[in-house]
Amino acid sequence: MAAPALMVPCHIAIVMDGNGRWATKRFLPRIAGHKQGVDALSRCVKACLERGVGVLTVFAFSSENWNRPSDEVSGLMELLVVALAREVPRLNANGVQIHFVGDRQRLSPKVQAGLAQAELSTAVNHRLVFNVCFNYGGRWDIAQAAQKLAARGEAITELSLDRAMALAHVPDPDLLIRTGGELRISNFMLWQAAYSELHFSEKLWPEFDEAALDEAIAVFRTRERRFGQTSAQVVGRSSTQ
Ligand code: IPE
Ligand code: IPE
Ligand code: MG
C-alpha cells in the first residue's frame, strides 16, 4: 500500500522580514538585502509549486513602510518594477497567477502599470495563486471593505465583510510564517489570520530556503487545529472521515 500523502497547507502566508539586517551584517546597503530577498522569494515560489501549495501570499511592502528613508522607499519601488520584468516570464512558464493586494492609488503610474500588466499576463494560470501584498495593511483592508459595503448600502456582517476584502479570492491562510525573529504580525492579514497556525523563524528572509520552508510545514503538520472545538471532537471527526 502506498504511504498516505503528507498534508501540505493549502495557503501559506509569509511576512518576509530581515532583508535590512541581512545587508547590514555584510556592510552592504539595505537595498542589497531587498535584492537578495527577491531571489529568496523566487526560490520560495518554486518550492511551493513543487510541494503542491495552492496559494502563497507574501508581505512585500506595508502601509507603514512609507515611513522609511525616502531612498529605501524609492529603491523598493524600482526593485518591484525590475523584479516583475525578470520574473513574470518565469511565473508564466510555471503556471503561476499573480495578484497584487493593497492600495495602488499612492503608487506611481509606472508601478501601477507594471502591476496591472503582470496580473493580466498571468491571469489564465492555475497551478499556484501568488498574492503579493504591496502597500497593504490589514487595517486598510478591513476599512476599505467596510467602505465598499457602506457605499453599496449593504449590511455589515462577517460574511459580507469577508467577501469585500482584497483577499476574498483565496481561502484564509492555514500557515502564517514570519522570518527575521520578530514575534509580531505588523498589520498583516488581521482578518484572515484568525485561525492560521503561526510559525516564527529566526532566519532572515534572504536566508529562508527550502529546508526552512519544509521545517515550517513539518511543524504545521504537528499542530491540532481545533477552530474552537475540543480535541476529542477534532480527533473523532478525522477518524470518521
Ligand atoms: C522586510 O525586511 C522587507 C520590507 C519591509 C520591505 P526589512 O527591510 O524590514 O528588514 P529588517 O527588519 O530591517 O532587517
Ligand atoms: C513587516 O515588516 C512588513 C513587511 C515584511 C513588508 P517590518 O519590518 O515593516 O515590520 P516592523 O516594523 O518590524 O514591525
Ligand atoms: Mg523588518
Side-chain angles (χ1 to χ4, degrees), residues 59 63-64 136-144 165 186-192:
F59 203 5
S63 314
E64 291 75 30
Y136 168 90
R139 290 178 174 177
W140 164 81
D141 197 6
I142 295 167
Q144 71 79 30
M165 292 278 169
S186 301
N187 199 12
F188 190 45
M189 297 185 108
L190 298 181
W191 176 270
Q192 297 86 352

Side-chain angles (χ1 to χ4, degrees), residues 2-91:
L6 285 172
M7 197 225 325
V8 172
C10 292
H11 181 176
I12 297 180
I14 309 181
V15 179
M16 308 184 290
D17 195 27
N19 294 349
R21 279 165 284 166
W22 183 92
T24 304
K25 265 185 13 187
R26 288 162 179 77
F27 306 102
L28 295 168
R30 290 177 59 87
I31 197 70
H34 296 311
K35 283 186 186 147
Q36 285 291 319
V38 174
D39 293 346
L41 180 55
S42 181
R43 289 195 300 273
C44 185
V45 169
K46 187 166 165 271
C48 285
L49 281 162
E50 287 165 357
R51 284 154 186 74
V53 173
V55 183
L56 173 67
T57 301
V58 298
F59 203 5
F61 189 89
S62 76
S63 314
E64 291 75 30
N65 288 149
W66 292 106
N67 297 325
R68 293 191 175 196
S70 62
D71 62 333
E72 182 167 344
V73 171
S74 59
L76 283 165
M77 297 296 155
E78 230 168 87
L79 186 59
L80 174 64
V81 174
V82 171
L84 281 179
R86 192 185 78 183
E87 297 292 333
V88 166
R90 196 163 6 194
L91 296 178

